[in-house]
Every structure is written in C-alpha cells, then in structure tokens.
C-alpha cells in the first residue's frame, strides 16, 4: 500500500508545494475536487502497458484479500446481531442416558497420554452406558505406556479399551473409522491427545440429541498453556476469532459450520448417513461436517462449554499445524464446493461455505502481492497524494483494520476485564499471520495440484502454564529444512523495500512493511534458534549417555 506524499515529490522537482496552492483556493470541496483531478506529472509520465501489467494483477489480488476482510466485518455483524447471545437449550432430557463411546485417537503421544486417560476416566456418566476407546497408532514407547495405563484403569472398573493398529492407513480418519466398527455407543465423542475433557462434558451435551435432527454438538476450545509465551498467546487469540466469533455467528444464523475434530460429540447415525470417515483430505472433520449438513443434519454449538487443550509452544510446530489445516481445508473446498454450489440451499449459505472453505487462498495471494510490491511502488511513485489516498484507504480499512477489529472484539467478548492486553499483542498477531504465508502457500498449492502428503502430527508436551523441561524439547521435533532460510530471504526483501520508501519519502508505507520484516525475521530466527538449542541438548544427552527417542 504505497502512499507517496505528492507535496514532497513536487517540491523535489521544483514545483510549488500543494499545501500553499490549496490555501489560495476556494471551498474545501473545490480544493479536493481539483486535487483529485490534478495530475502533477502530466507530460512527465504516463502509464504504459508494462505499468498496467503490474498494476492490474496487483490490485486484483489486493481486491481478493479485501473481500475476505469485508467478510470479517460481516461475521462481526452477524455475531453482534445474533451470535452474541447464543445459548441453545435441548428440547428435553433423556429419561435414560444414551450409550456413548468416547474415542481417543493417539499417535506417538508419550507426554500427554496419561493426562488424557485420567481426564477421560473421570468423566461423569453411568459406567454401564459408557465405552472409552483408546485408538493408538503409535510407533514409539507410547504404545506400551498406553496399553499399560488402559490395563490399570480397567482394573479400577473404568470401561476403557485399547486398540492398536500396526499401520496408519487413513491416519486419524482411518483410526476413528476402525474404532467405529466396534463402538457400542449411539453417540460418539472425540478428544485429541492434547485435550482435557471436563468431567461434566457428557452431562451437558447428550440431551441435545433428544432432537432427532441433531447430528453434532461442538464445544469451545480453551487453552491450558495460553500464557506460556508470546507465541501461545497469539495462537489463542487467532483461535478465539474462530471459536468466539465465527462459530457462534454461523450457528446462530443457520449457516453451515464445522466439527473441529475434537471437543465434540456426534450421532453415529449421522456419521454413517454422511458416508462415514473419509481420508482423502487432511481435515476429515470439516469434510464430514459439510457432507452431513448437506444431508440435512443439524449442528449445535455451545460457546459456554469449554474444552481445555494444549497449544504448540515452538514456531515450526505452530507453522506445520497451520499448514496442515490450510491444505486440508483447501482439499475439502475442491472436493465439496461443487456439490455445495449445486445443492438446494439458500445462496447465503453457499457464499458462506465459499468464504469458510477457501480463505487460505489468501496466502499465495499475499506472496504474489509481496513480490509485486516493489515494482508497483516504483510505478505508483508518479501518482498524486489524493489519488493514492482514495485507493489505499479502502484497502487498509478492508484488510488491516478488519483484522484488528475482528480479533480485538473476540478478546473483549472472551474476557471483558483482561482483553486490553490483546491490544499490545496485535503487532505480534499480525507478524505471526505473516510468518505463515510461505508454508501455507505451499500447502494450498499442493492441495490445488492434488499433491498427496501424510498427516503431520503436532508435538505436545503436557504443558499447563509451566516452563517446558529441556529434555522434552528434543523429542518429536521435526526439522524445518529450507523454510527459515526462505523466511529470512523474504525479510531481506522487505528491508530493501523500506530502504526504497525512505529514499522516496514514502514514510506512510514503512509501518506496514515493518510488520513483514518482523513476521519473517521472527519466524526464521526463532525456528533456527529452537533447532540449535535442540541440537545442543542432544549433544549433552549423548555426553551423559542418554539416548533420546527419535
């Protein structure tokens, strides 16, 4: 968003300053009209075909980003008008509790499996109506640990079963589908390994299924390690935008919304009617959600019921998780949007599905905008200040301001007393979003090109606000490869852009460019630092004779 002060440029060229001329003119409207129509570079520069070849795709991409920004405002309006007071109630209560199966999918979750099993075993529900399935695909010591813990809980009378697969066919979706074959419950609750379901979870959710059209009840995520570091605080705010604003806004206005893969309970008949768990996307939860709602099933969202979870504490783990979600949601869009657009549902539901399933296209759009920014700045050097203000102000309002408004409102709604801390975190939040552009762009392009990839797990360490023991950091860490170096190269590019802005007196653009510098440098440097510290710990462990797990 290059805004070049026309007065400074004119003065550098020897032309009388624009403010002085405006003082001699008539009314304010006349002055603005003349300023808008005036071309200070008439006879000096005219747009050529090469300029248009840069400006047209640049502003087309910016317009796409602006559409998603305007959708954030629409979501805010829907939330404020309808979703803010969302408090659904069951039509009645069951006289006899329905049978429930709790599924706990695992894959190499050595640090969190004990916490998960403890929480699941303490859920308040009649034991004769409950079945707990541990669906373990682990290939490390989690296998033996989980099997032993299940045996101990069974000896105490907990109705828990252990199922281990020697393969990962279908990844999480495959494990859930395999467990469904031996599930006894008519309702199926799912909790990922990093979740700690509350004791009253079933008591507060099952009665919504007295309505035979209800297929899902989704609860709101909360975060055990929200204040562990700046990264976890920023992640919590990003997720709050979804769980505090988007989900209630969609649920309250009758729009499709998704099961979030965990912290929810479903009717088994809905899963089967929608075609069961399918593993041709990386977000099997969103895939099932849309297939079920196209079949007419009703979803319930409970913003008052929190389900605690753990956030990634390391930069690359956060990026990998977000990339998996970005690719999976894009895969779901490619798979289901044609059917959604043909379905006999209102147009507003179709449009909302497009905005819900295709937002990650903004990441490659942002990369392209970044690449075009320098040449566009050079071309736009010859535009007057008022013309550029007319163009840039709506863009800033639709993109940058919408982000601030969206996430600040989410924090005010979540915590009326402590939300102001989020104001100081907004630069970090925007920088974190920028840090995702490269890895998420690759993920989206892989989805568009139908490039297959495995389900990459996110490392969890059973953190609940305390510092992470150093010996655990080396476990389950994935190598980042080329990514941090590419991020630092992108950072260098934006430093060059800032230098160009200084040389052309375009100081207005510098704060925005600094966000890109901060986002890319933070992501690249923290990832390299965390990996370096991990190597040092591994070396120390080798010196004392400790062999860390791969």
């Amino acid at each position: 968003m290059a805004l070049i002060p026309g007065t400074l440029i004119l003065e550098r060229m020897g032309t009388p300053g624009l403010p002085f001329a405006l003082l001699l003119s008539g009314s304010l409207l006349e002055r603005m009209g003349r300023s808008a129509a005036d071309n200070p570079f008439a006879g000096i520069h005219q747009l050529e075909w090469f300029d248009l070849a840069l400006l047209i795709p640049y502003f087309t991409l910016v317009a796409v980003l602006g559409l998603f920004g305007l959708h954030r405002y629409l979501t805010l309006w829907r939330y404020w008008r309808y979703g803010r007071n969302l408090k659904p109630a069951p039509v009645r209560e069951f006289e006899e509790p329905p049978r429930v199966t709790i599924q706990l999918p695992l894959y190499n979750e050595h640090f969190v499996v004990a916490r998960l099993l403890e929480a699941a075993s303490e859920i308040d529900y009649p034991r004769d109506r409950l079945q707990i399935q541990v669906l373990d695909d682990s290939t490390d010591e989690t296998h033996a640990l989980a099997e032993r813990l299940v045996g101990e809980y069974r000896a105490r009378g907990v109705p828990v079963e252990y199922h281990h697969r020697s393969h990962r066919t279908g990844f999480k979706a495959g494990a859930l589908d395999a467990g469904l074959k031996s599930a006894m419950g008519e309702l199926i609750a799912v909790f990922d390994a990093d979740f700690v379901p509350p004791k009253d979870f079933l008591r507060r959710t099952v009665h919504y299924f007295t309505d035979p059209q209800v297929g899902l009840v989704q609860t709101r995520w909360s975060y055990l390690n929200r204040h562990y570091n700046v990264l976890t605080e920023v992640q919590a705010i990003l997720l709050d935008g979804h769980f505090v604003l988007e989900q209630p806004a969609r649920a309250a206005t009758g729009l499709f919304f998704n099961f979030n893969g965990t912290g929810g309970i479903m009717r088994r008949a809905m899963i089967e009617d929608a075609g069961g768990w399918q593993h041709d996307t990386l977000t099997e939860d969103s895939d099932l959600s849309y297939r079920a709602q196209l079949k007419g099933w009703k979803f319930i969202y409970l913003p008052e019921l929190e389900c605690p979870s753990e956030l990634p504490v390391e930069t690359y783990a956060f990026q990998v998780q977000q990339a998996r979600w970005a690719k999976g949601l894009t895969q779901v869009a490619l798979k289901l949007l044609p059917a959604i657009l043909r379905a006999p549902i209102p147009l507003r539901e179709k449009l909302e599905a497009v905005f819900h399933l295709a937002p990650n296209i903004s990441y490659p759009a942002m990369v392209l905008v970044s690449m075009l920014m320098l040449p566009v700045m050079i071309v736009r050097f010859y535009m007057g200040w008022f013309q550029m203000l007319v163009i840039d102000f709506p863009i800033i309002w639709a993109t940058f301001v919408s982000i601030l408004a969206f996430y600040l409102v989410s924090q005010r709604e979540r915590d009326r007393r402590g939300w102001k801390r989020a104001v100081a975190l907004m630069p970090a939040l925007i920088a974190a979003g920028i840090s995702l552009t490269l890895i998420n762009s690759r993920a989206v392009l892989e989805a568009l090109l139908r490039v297959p990839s495995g389900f990459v797990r996110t490392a969890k360490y059973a953190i609940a606000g305390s510092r992470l023991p150093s010996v655990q950091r080396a476990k389950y860490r994935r190598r980042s490869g080329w990514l941090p170096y590419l991020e630092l190269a992108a950072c260098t590019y934006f430093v060059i852009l800032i230098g160009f802005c200084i040389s052309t007196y375009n100081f207005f653009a510098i704060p925005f460019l600094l966000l890109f510098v901060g986002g890319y440098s933070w992501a690249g440097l923290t990832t390299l630092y965390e990996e370096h510290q991990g190597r040092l710990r591994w070396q120390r462990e080798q010196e004392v004779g400790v062999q860390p797990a791969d």
Side-chain angles (χ1 to χ4, degrees):
M1 297 138 195
L3 181 60
I4 303 178
T7 302
L8 292 173
I9 298 174
L10 291 174
E11 290 174 350
R12 293 174 68 196
M13 296 177 61
T15 307
L18 184 59
F20 180 75
L22 289 177
L23 289 173
L24 300 178
S25 62
S27 68
L28 176 62
L29 290 177
E30 291 174 350
R31 294 198 302 269
M32 292 179 65
R34 281 197 295 271
S35 177
D38 183 40
N39 181 4
F41 289 97
I44 299 175
H45 177 268
Q46 292 182 343
L47 290 177
E48 303 289 346
W49 68 267
F50 180 77
D51 301 331
L52 294 174
L54 290 172
L55 292 175
I56 291 174
Y58 176 82
F59 283 109
T60 299
L61 292 167
V62 169
V64 171
L65 297 175
L67 280 177
F68 285 103
L70 294 175
H71 180 258
R72 279 190 284 270
Y73 286 119
L74 177 60
T75 300
L76 281 172
W77 179 82
R78 285 171 174 162
Y79 172 80
W80 208 262
R81 181 69 176 83
Y82 303 103
R84 195 180 188 194
N85 299 313
L86 179 65
K87 294 182 179 179
V91 295
R92 60 184 179 86
E93 293 191 358
F94 285 108
E95 295 180 2
E96 181 181 14
R99 291 187 178 275
V100 176
T101 295
I102 296 176
Q103 293 187 320
L104 309 175
L106 305 176
Y107 176 65
N108 295 350
E109 308 287 1
H110 177 73
F111 297 115
V112 296
V113 62
R115 183 181 68 185
L116 173 67
L117 281 171
E118 180 182 9
S121 68
E122 293 177 352
I123 288 180
D124 179 21
Y125 204 72
R127 288 294 188 248
D128 62 333
R129 313 295 292 176
L130 180 65
Q131 175 193 30
I132 302 174
Q133 292 182 329
V134 176
L135 307 175
D136 187 15
D137 287 356
S138 297
T139 57
D140 68 355
E141 63 268 31
T142 306
H143 172 21
L145 175 61
E147 190 171 24
R148 176 175 63 79
L149 290 172
V150 167
E152 293 175 359
Y153 280 109
R154 284 183 63 86
R156 301 178 198 171
V158 178
V160 58
E161 304 171 359
Y162 181 77
H163 301 266
H164 183 263
R165 297 196 306 169
S166 58
H167 57 85
R168 293 201 72 203
T169 302
F171 305 107
K172 179 182 174 181
L176 294 174
D177 185 55
L180 200 61
K181 293 178 172 59
S182 58
M184 296 185 295
E186 56 189 281
L187 303 179
I188 310 294
V190 179
F191 300 103
D192 283 350
D194 54 329
F195 276 68
V196 182
K199 294 181 181 181
D200 60 350
F201 181 89
L202 294 180
R203 294 288 187 183
R204 296 174 63 180
T205 56
V206 297
H207 297 294
Y208 290 92
F209 292 94
T210 54
D211 180 348
Q213 293 301 311
V214 170
L216 166 80
V217 175
Q218 175 65 53
T219 64
R220 178 167 66 88
W221 293 6
S222 60
Y223 314 103
L224 298 165
N225 60 332
R226 184 185 191 100
H227 300 292
Y228 178 81
N229 57 25
V230 172
L231 175 61
T232 56
E233 289 195 80
V234 165
Q235 288 178 79
I237 295 174
L238 290 170
L239 290 169
D240 284 340
H242 175 69
F243 286 99
V244 175
L245 299 181
E246 288 181 342
Q247 293 287 63
R250 291 182 180 127
T253 53
L255 299 170
F256 286 4
F257 70 95
N258 62 302
F259 168 49
N260 293 108
T262 177
I265 180 169
M266 297 165 285
R267 194 186 297 272
R268 177 174 183 161
M270 180 209 74
I271 299 174
E272 295 170 345
D273 181 55
W277 292 108
Q278 298 176 8
H279 48 84
D280 52 349
T281 74
L282 292 178
T283 49
E284 69 291 325
D285 41 19
S286 295
D287 178 24
L288 177 64
S289 298
Y290 273 85
R291 286 188 280 115
Q293 287 170 106
L294 285 173
K295 287 276 191 175
W297 289 97
K298 180 180 176 182
F299 283 19
I300 301 292
Y301 182 66
L302 301 182
E304 301 297 321
L305 180 52
E306 297 183 13
C307 197
S309 63
E310 180 181 324
L311 295 163
V313 298
E314 297 170 325
T315 303
Y316 188 60
F318 160 64
Q319 291 176 308
V320 167
Q321 182 187 66
Q322 293 292 320
R324 186 180 75 237
W325 292 347
K327 182 172 184 177
L329 208 60
T330 306
Q331 290 172 325
V332 174
L334 293 173
K335 176 181 178 180
L336 296 181
L337 274 182
I340 293 170
L341 296 176
R342 291 193 304 265
I345 59 177
L347 178 61
R348 70 186 190 95
E349 294 184 24
K350 297 178 181 181
L351 292 176
E352 182 62 24
V354 172
F355 278 104
H356 185 192
L357 296 177
N360 294 293
I361 200 70
S362 61
Y363 288 108
M366 179 59 73
V367 170
L368 292 174
V369 165
S370 300
M371 294 171 63
L372 291 170
M373 200 170 289
L374 179 57
V376 167
M377 278 185 174
I378 296 173
V379 170
R380 297 185 72 197
F381 177 86
Y382 297 100
M383 296 182 68
W385 71 272
F386 189 78
Q387 294 92 328
M388 298 190 71
L389 182 61
V390 169
I391 294 172
D392 286 347
F393 181 77
I395 293 172
I396 295 170
W397 181 82
T399 54
F400 181 75
V401 177
S402 71
I403 293 172
L404 297 180
F406 189 79
Y407 289 107
L408 286 176
V409 170
S410 76
Q411 295 313 288
R412 184 181 182 278
E413 291 300 292
R414 185 192 67 85
D415 183 4
R416 296 294 179 89
R417 302 183 68 179
W419 71 274
K420 293 181 180 179
R421 173 174 170 76
V423 176
L425 290 170
M426 284 299 103
L429 180 140
I430 295 173
I434 290 170
S435 76
L436 296 173
T437 54
L438 296 179
I439 190 170
N440 281 10
S441 294
R442 183 183 71 172
V444 170
L445 292 175
E446 286 180 352
L448 294 175
L449 297 174
R450 316 284 181 167
V451 177
S453 61
F455 187 101
V456 181
R457 64 178 298 279
T458 305
K460 303 115 183 174
Y461 301 103
I463 302 169
S466 60
R467 303 302 296 179
L468 180 63
S470 62
V471 70
Q472 295 184 1
R473 282 190 184 269
K475 191 176 183 64
Y476 298 147
R477 175 181 277 112
R478 295 179 57 84
R479 293 183 177 179
S480 59
W482 52 266
L483 181 63
Y485 302 101
L486 190 57
E487 289 166 340
L488 292 177
C491 171
T492 303
Y493 172 72
F494 280 97
V495 170
I496 294 172
L497 284 180
I498 290 175
F500 175 80
C501 289
I502 293 173
S503 68
T504 57
Y505 299 91
N506 185 6
F507 301 113
F508 178 82
I510 291 176
F512 299 97
L513 297 177
L514 284 173
L515 292 172
F516 285 86
V517 172
Y520 286 124
S521 62
W522 167 71
L525 292 175
T526 56
T527 298
L528 292 175
Y529 174 78
E530 289 164 358
E531 292 184 345
H532 175 67
Q533 292 298 308
R535 285 192 294 270
L536 292 179
R537 291 187 185 94
W538 183 84
Q539 291 172 1
R540 288 195 295 267
E541 289 166 355
Q542 294 299 299
E543 291 173 0
V544 298
V546 177
Q547 180 65 42
D550 294 330

